[in-house]
Amino acid sequence: MSTAVAPPAVRSAEQARGATLTGTGSLVRFMLRQDRVRLTVWAVSVVFFYTYFTFALNLFFDDTAAMQGRAALMETPVGIVMGGPGYGLDDYSTGVAMSNEGITWMVLALAILSILHVVRHTRAEEESNRSELVRAAVVGRHAPAVAAVVTLVLAQAVIAVLSAGALVAVGDLAVADSFALTVGSGLSAMVFGAVALVVCQVVGHARTATGASLAVFAVAFVVRAVGDIRELGGSTLSWFSPIAWAQQMRAFVDLRWWPIALSVLAIAVLLVVAALLASRRDFGGSLVETRAGRADAGPALRGPLAMAWLQQRWALLWSCLGLGLMWFASGTMLPGIGDMIGDMVVDNPMLAQLFGADPSQLAVGFLSVLVLYGAVCCAAYAVVMAQRPKAEESSGRAEVVFSHPVSRHRWLGAQAAVAGVGTAVLLAVSVYALWGGAVIAGWGDQTFTDYSVVVWTYLPALAVFLGLVLALYGWAPRLTGIGWALVAYTFVVGMFGQVFDLPDWVYRVSPFDWVPEVFSGEPYAGDVAVLWAVAVGLGVLGFVGFRRRDLATG
Amino acid sequence: MTSTAPTGTRSADAPPIEIHDLHKHFGPTRALDGLDLTVAEGEVAGFLGPNGSGKSTTIRVLLGLLRATSGEARLFGADPWRDAVDLHRRLAYVPGDVTLWPHLTGGEAIDFLSRLRGKPDPRRKKDLLEAFELDPTKKARTYSKGNRQKVALVAAFATEVPLLILDEPTAGLDPLMEAVFTEHVRHAAAQGTSVLLSSHILSEVEKVCDTVTIIRAGRAVESGTLDELRHLTRSSVTAVVEGDPAAVARIDGVHDAVTAGDPEGTRLTFDVDNTAMGAVLTTLSGLGVRSFTAAPPSLEELFLRHYGDDVSDVGASGDGDAADGAGSRSGTGSGRGAGRHAAATTSEAGAR
Ligand SMILES: Nc1ncnc2c1ncn2[C@@H]1O[C@H](COP(=O)(O)OP(=O)(O)OP(=O)(O)O)[C@@H](O)[C@H]1O
Ligand SMILES: [Mg+2]
């Protein structure tokens, strides 16, 4: 620290002021080292999506008619909710579309990054007692929080610069507007990171803090959407949402810089509030009292199955709610998208070649893509839940349970059963929500039975994910992350696979490739049987392995 | 092994814990390296050793959480790995670092665990909660370390079982609660429960244990009743003498002799193996003793010597170097340690 070189007389006074920040520098380095993989993955993913969407928009909206079709869609309430305020629609282009529709999602992604980062390095650390060690060393009281913010700013800055570079390089877009878009989005997202820091001072637990901060984002999302629906291009209400502060810079339409000041101001105010609150509370303490619970367990809390359900039910409920709403909204967009793609194909023979000539089939193809996305989300859920046993084991809770008369099979069976049923429920909710949205929007070519077949045929594919993670857990618990690799692989192959002409096996590795195409083709049962066989085989393998191996010890 | 407990009662039944030549390797690490340990029925056995010596590993093998690399471990005569579920009906376990379900209250966690064992007893739970002064309505993640420990203790004591396995169960408990714990262990022992208690708190071991096994680097280095072990320790002596104390320092079995000036003569402090005490007194009496104090041997000392040595020292037990007294800690049983002391005394007598 700079105070170290000052003469003693000055030093003591300076130290008194600066002492709460002592050690920030080394903490920053420590966090960057700790997070180098995580932050790199985030940066690469975000830049990739900027690149991809710029590229895709350039390609598919090469002609004005298609662009105008999309602009028309963006004027509808659904377009405003899922997209943006709807400015620059008269002269819709790649840059305008990125700015109008993309910002919401980029801010979402970057806000999640910000919230997770801040919570992980402050409240989660405190909760785990790890930072107690750090704090007892020569580290000031505010140093961990400040270091978390500094590293976040660094990460966001790098992402913003790289993203702007991608927009300029790939989309050939204006430099100033590109930077306005990415920097504006980054700052808007950091407002939610600052919110998370405040929340971390108020509530006592990392998961609560993450949940509450995400809830603040959800409110901001709704406020922005409702505000924009009231008035195309944004009403007064919109301005109460930090998401609007990035959107209202109107990059690529008529760029103005001053809304960015709102983000900066909000961040500054929130940081000051967080610092004040932090000075008032104890280490590890919170400002809200935790309520007393029940002294005796309810009659239902009996056995590992009940415990697994207790642990997974909230995640299941929230996932059903969130994904259900999302797919319902997507369902309502189906007719508009069908028309839009139809128009595009009429005007652009090249696109027709890519999608096929029959407009009605195009929309059906789009529906299949939506179903695939929905299934990928469910696969992610399955992987998360199949990793629960690992968390139970490494935390030491499994050790306590296994010192009771509970067999390994019974315990793992309970975990797997709840995860499996939860995944199935989530899949059903997602698919039927899509159906509900489509029906309400008057798009009823596909029957309820068709959607039901989708549920039944995707189920074994999802079971493969569950089985894979269980098998890994049974034999090599350190490698359960491979489950995520398969999710990512499936997503990439499903999304981009059709564009490239890849060898057959590349597609066949993805479990979803074995699922029959319900909406356009004939279901064929053989592949589904293979999926079930693989899933069950992997699952059994996992149980055998888990019975044979040592339990990991704290 | 030297005898550990009265053997009359277990003629037909297998002992609750019986370990012979047990090995457990984690890759290159030999956590257990030929461990022997027996806990007889109704016995409270202390299990001591420095950090990383393999106590928790032993216990986890006994619980069927880890699979032994080789050797034999038996609980009530059965295989703890294969028959884990059945055996666990007959034992309760308290780990040294308890993790609970963060969203459950302590009371809920206790009920959940008791129900797993199948015999919840609300009366007993209530009594234990009162005895340990634990508030069962708090969420587990708001509990302090000591309170988390209490949750596990209440859950363990809440059902009556023939065997208690406790791995540093009082880590984090305040002295008052430690006393409550000691009382409950004694009570359980009085009911005929066998106990294996791993601990670093010697006073606790001294209070409740019938026998003690000391483990180092994965093998038992000392085992016996507390009295047997105490016999092997040294007393520390301070004396003021008029004559030249050098003769005392030369006696085999006298360690760390330090002299200092004193108005009345020379102040001499040293440690002495209990077996050499006679020779010391004889020599001292010829020097004109002005004052004399001898502190009784403490367990602490014995353990410190067992803990503090490095392994090479244990291996090199044969040389006659008495500078730091490799004596009692070099053997693998009390019999051998006593033998070396006898030899030391003889050689000293010869020198006279
Ligand atoms: N899962 C594991 N993988 C690798 N090494 C391990 C594992 N578990 C224990 N060990 C090693 O085995 C040795 C014995 O560990 P153990 O936990 O049994 O010691 P302990 O006697 O309980 O120590 P303490 O008094 O600190 O609790 C240590 O060297 C430890 O590092
Ligand atoms: Mg231990």
Side-chain angles (χ1 to χ4, degrees), chain A residues 127 205 208 290-299 301-304 307 310-311 392 395-397 399-408 410 547-551 553-554, chain B residues 24 26 60 63-67 81-82 85 88-89 91 93 95 98-108 111-117 125 136-139 141-142 148:
Chain A
E127 212 176 347
H205 303 293
T208 321
T290 317
R291 271 176 296 125
R294 40 195 311 164
D296 307 288
L301 184 55
R302 197 172 279 279
M307 181 58 91
L310 197 77
Q311 292 185 296
E392 288 297 290
S395 70
R397 289 188 288 266
E399 180 175 329
V400 175
V401 170
F402 282 128
S403 75
H404 291 75
V406 174
S407 74
R408 301 252 181 130
R410 181 176 165 212
R547 177 69 185 85
R548 292 168 47 89
R549 72 170 169 85
D550 284 350
L551 207 69
T553 48
Chain B
K24 175 68 196 177
F26 296 105
R60 285 176 176 139
L63 290 171
L65 303 173
L66 301 180
R67 191 179 218 167
W81 175 266
R82 228 192 36 234
V85 176
H88 292 177
R89 285 184 223 289
L91 64 84
Y93 163 62
V98 179
T99 337
L100 298 167
W101 294 270
H103 49 274
L104 289 191
T105 65
E108 286 175 311
D111 283 347
F112 172 70
L113 294 173
S114 316
R115 286 170 190 175
L116 282 183
R117 192 164 281 121
K125 176 186 162 196
T137 63
K138 279 185 154 182
K139 297 269 186 207
R141 51 185 175 197
T142 68
R148 284 201 305 273

Side-chain angles (χ1 to χ4, degrees), chain B residues 18 29 57 62 85 98 129 132 142 167 180 194-195 200 209 238-239 269 281 307 330 333:
Chain B
E18 198 170 23
T29 314
T57 304
L62 288 175
V85 176
V98 179
L129 287 174
F132 280 102
T142 68
D167 190 358
V180 174
S194 317
V195 181
H200 290 301
C209 293
T238 306
T269 53
L281 288 178
Y307 283 26
S330 60

Side-chain angles (χ1 to χ4, degrees), chain B residues 257-331:
Chain B
V258 176
T259 55
D262 190 274
E264 300 189 46
T266 312
R267 172 180 297 268
L268 173 67
T269 53
F270 56 91
D271 292 343
V272 54
D273 292 339
N274 285 350
T275 46
M277 191 60 102
V280 166
L281 288 178
T282 313
T283 312
L284 272 179
S285 63
L287 296 174
V289 178
R290 284 309 182 91
S291 72
F292 177 88
T293 53
S298 73
L299 267 186
E300 212 106 355
E301 255 177 303
L302 173 73
F303 294 135
L304 283 180
R305 284 198 283 151
H306 275 294
Y307 283 26
D309 265 353
D310 55 45
V311 183
S312 60
D313 211 353
V314 173
S317 63
D319 65 339
D321 167 41
D324 192 41
S328 66
R329 72 193 95 132
S330 60

Side-chain angles (χ1 to χ4, degrees), chain A residues 502-523:
Chain A
L502 298 169
D504 215 30
W505 64 266
V506 173
Y507 301 106
R508 295 312 252 176
V509 170
S510 161
F512 292 151
D513 196 63
W514 298 74
V515 175
E517 178 62 63
V518 175
F519 293 124
S520 49
E522 285 292 302

Side-chain angles (χ1 to χ4, degrees), chain A residues 129-272:
Chain A
N129 289 341
R130 275 191 299 271
S131 82
E132 212 164 327
L133 282 176
V134 173
R135 189 80 67 94
V138 192
V139 163
R141 180 160 11 120
H142 293 312
V146 172
V149 172
V150 169
T151 46
L152 178 62
V153 170
L154 288 175
Q156 294 280 14
V158 169
I159 290 175
V161 169
L162 291 179
S163 306
L167 287 179
V168 174
V170 179
D172 198 17
L173 299 171
V175 175
D177 296 79
S178 298
F179 272 93
L181 197 163
T182 61
V183 174
S185 303
L187 280 168
S188 164
M190 262 189 287
V191 173
F192 296 100
V195 167
L197 193 63
V198 173
V199 172
C200 281
Q201 313 309 316
V202 179
V203 303
H205 303 293
R207 275 168 63 172
T208 321
T210 307
S213 308
L214 287 173
V216 171
F217 181 89
V219 170
F221 185 94
V222 170
V223 165
R224 197 282 308 165
V226 172
D228 288 350
I229 287 176
R230 281 188 171 183
E231 194 179 322
L232 200 64
S235 66
T236 317
L237 182 62
S238 313
W239 286 92
F240 285 94
S241 170
I243 302 170
W245 302 339
Q247 287 170 329
Q248 294 300 337
M249 292 170 74
R250 296 169 154 262
F252 302 108
V253 183
D254 46 82
L255 177 64
R256 49 186 182 183
W257 281 96
W258 62 264
I260 213 171
L262 290 172
S263 295
V264 175
L265 194 69
I267 292 171
V269 169
L270 287 165
L271 290 184
V272 169

